[in-house]
Amino acid sequence: MGDILRGMTELLKGALDGIVLQEIKNKGETYGYEITNNLINLGFQDLVEGTIYTTLIRLERKKLVNTEKRKSKLGPKRKFYRLNENGEKYLEEFWNKWTFLVNQLKKIRNE
């Protein structure tokens, strides 16, 4: 899958907010390093941790997530992220738009 994603940076940037929000929703609550590892395991090997943290900062500024810093047994405090009501709405809109786009692309491809 890494070869497929090569050169798709711009396309991925447009979807990254939704992807990260979905990861947070799937976990209920999570932190940046865990999100990065999950996405890498799903085949997004070219994603760097810094990209995820930049996305998380953006989501926080847009008030789509709630955060809480907690002590970690393994080192410094971790910032945990949880979707809030705005994040839930944004994510629903994201999937509606994504589904529309995929359906339209399928139509174009089959013309």
Side-chain angles (χ1 to χ4, degrees), residues 35-48:
I35 294 169
T36 303
N37 282 340
N38 287 341
L39 292 176
I40 287 171
N41 290 334
L42 288 171
F44 293 95
Q45 289 89 356
D46 293 339
L47 278 180
V48 292

Side-chain angles (χ1 to χ4, degrees), residues 45-61:
Q45 289 89 356
D46 293 339
L47 278 180
V48 292
E49 205 170 339
T51 303
I52 300 302
Y53 285 105
T54 302
T55 302
L56 289 167
I57 290 167
R58 186 171 51 251
L59 296 175
E60 192 174 355
R61 285 184 182 151

